[in-house]
Amino acid sequence: AGHIAMKNPAPMLNLVFNTRRPAFSNIKTRQALIAAYDFNWTNTALFHGLYKRTHSFFQSSELAGDKLPSAAEIALLEPYRDELPAEIFKQAYRPPDSDGSGQDRKRLREAKTLLKEAGWVLKGGKLTDAKTGAPLTLEILVKSPEEIRLLSSYRKTLSRLGITVNLRQMDSAGYQKRITDYDYDMMITLWDQSLSPGNEQDFYWSRAAADTPGTRNYPGIRLKSVDHLIKRIKNAKSRTDLVTATRALDRVLMWGQFGVPLHHVHGQWLAHGNAIKLPRQPSFWGTSLDVWWQSPS
């Protein structure tokens, strides 16, 4: 048995906020819901501690904007300072850590403060909009019992904040129609990335995609900075230019806090007999059956 590391980006599994919905228009509401998610408890209780927390759309690859921003990245972001969080220029994004108890009081206090700053007040045990009095009730679309299991503890945590969460499981056709029409509050999705990003980034994140049914811009991202960085990625003349623009894009996507980043395994778990041999140096994409061989001895 063993673990083979990979160098291509690990997939981004994400509990997406649909920012087309007024409830998610304020970044502080989104921050609060991210803070309320106890990854460490979920990882221990459900996954035997086998996963790592995802903090990049290009996780564990050279394209990830997960270190301090370079001068070249800051230069790309500077013209869009008015639509970006100030932190993006000074630090790398990391989702809030938790104590693994499933009821981290520090994180819940942080979430309550953020929700108050976003204009939510507690009335009769229900979180409501201070202006309209409407309660914060969220429907999360799910497509499997596994997703319900993953989100059950999170739903209980949000109920402690006065937020009502309904997990709505649907058949595949109904689910797909709701996703295509962006008819959801939240849903779990996964974005794969390659080491050579290009035109697909338009389909994932652009303002045009946000207004077109059936794209993968599930959060409804509409940022000038994102459109500009996608153009820089598509028109990159060198690997250095591509990496710089992609890291800058990654920062904007992560600091925008458009969903709760979940978990990943960056590698392959393998179990094989002693007679089965593998190349000592795997590719960036790990290994596959066609490069294994059986030792004659």
Side-chain angles (χ1 to χ4, degrees):
H3 181 268
I4 294 179
M6 300 163 75
K7 292 184 180 178
N8 62 316
M12 164 59 87
L13 186 68
N14 198 289
L15 177 57
V16 173
F17 306 129
N18 185 0
T19 64
R20 300 171 184 85
R21 299 279 164 97
F24 297 122
S25 61
N26 192 316
I27 192 171
K28 289 189 175 180
T29 301
R30 307 198 298 269
Q31 279 181 297
L33 295 181
I34 293 170
Y37 181 76
D38 192 337
F39 164 75
N40 290 323
W41 181 90
T42 303
N43 194 30
T44 302
L46 302 183
F47 304 124
H48 309 287
L50 293 170
Y51 287 106
K52 293 181 179 178
R53 187 79 191 265
T54 305
H55 56 258
S56 166
F57 281 87
F58 299 86
Q59 181 72 45
S60 304
S61 76
E62 68 166 343
L63 299 173
D66 59 357
K67 297 180 177 63
L68 289 175
S70 67
E73 290 169 61
I74 290 173
L76 289 177
L77 297 170
E78 187 63 48
Y80 304 96
R81 189 177 279 270
D82 62 332
E83 69 175 16
L84 298 172
E87 296 91 340
I88 199 171
F89 296 94
K90 297 179 287 188
Q91 63 194 85
Y93 179 82
R94 290 292 185 279
D97 204 6
S98 60
D99 66 9
S101 67
Q103 48 186 1
D104 187 330
R105 287 187 174 86
K106 180 183 176 186
R107 289 289 164 232
L108 287 174
R109 283 197 303 272
E110 181 182 323
K112 285 177 183 176
T113 300
L114 287 164
L115 289 166
K116 186 177 180 181
E117 290 173 357
W120 301 99
V121 295
L122 207 57
K123 285 187 179 176
K126 297 291 183 185
L127 201 66
T128 59
D129 187 314
K131 291 180 180 176
T132 67
L136 183 53
T137 301
L138 303 175
E139 181 183 77
I140 305 179
L141 287 193
V142 294
K143 55 181 180 291
S144 68
E146 289 75 23
E147 289 188 350
I148 293 175
R149 182 168 168 258
L150 174 64
L151 296 173
S152 291
S153 175
Y154 185 53
R155 174 171 57 178
K156 289 177 187 173
T157 301
L158 294 186
S159 72
R160 294 179 64 198
L161 294 169
I163 302 169
T164 301
V165 176
N166 301 312
L167 302 180
R168 176 77 183 276
Q169 186 171 359
M170 306 185 69
D171 62 75
S172 58
Y175 180 91
Q176 190 56 54
K177 180 168 181 6
R178 294 277 298 271
I179 297 304
T180 299
D181 295 340
Y182 311 121
D183 183 14
Y184 49 84
D185 295 328
M186 299 168 69
M187 48 85 82
I188 291 177
T189 194
L190 183 145
W191 286 281
D192 280 309
Q193 296 282 7
S194 75
L195 286 168
S196 299
N199 291 331
E200 76 287 344
Q201 303 304 306
D202 265 325
F203 192 68
Y204 286 2
W205 322 118
S206 70
R207 284 180 289 180
D211 298 322
T212 305
T215 75
R216 302 206 68 206
N217 190 344
Y218 301 123
I221 299 169
R222 295 184 177 96
L223 291 174
K224 292 178 288 183
S225 55
V226 167
D227 283 10
H228 174 70
L229 291 168
I230 291 171
K231 190 179 293 184
R232 294 293 295 245
I233 288 169
K234 292 194 299 184
N235 296 332
K237 296 291 191 289
S238 69
R239 182 69 187 173
T240 300
D241 289 348
L242 179 70
V243 170
T244 300
T246 306
R247 287 177 179 173
L249 174 64
D250 189 29
R251 292 183 197 284
V252 175
L253 296 175
M254 292 308 304
W255 278 106
Q257 300 179 88
F258 296 109
V260 182
L262 299 176
H263 53 265
H264 70 279
V265 175
H266 198 238
Q268 296 171 299
W269 288 319
L270 293 175
H272 56 85
N274 289 334
I276 301 299
K277 305 299 180 184
L278 284 65
R280 286 186 180 179
Q281 181 62 51
S283 77
F284 281 11
W285 296 269
T287 189
S288 60
L289 286 169
D290 56 351
V291 295
W292 301 4
W293 70 92
Q294 183 169 349
S295 173
S297 55

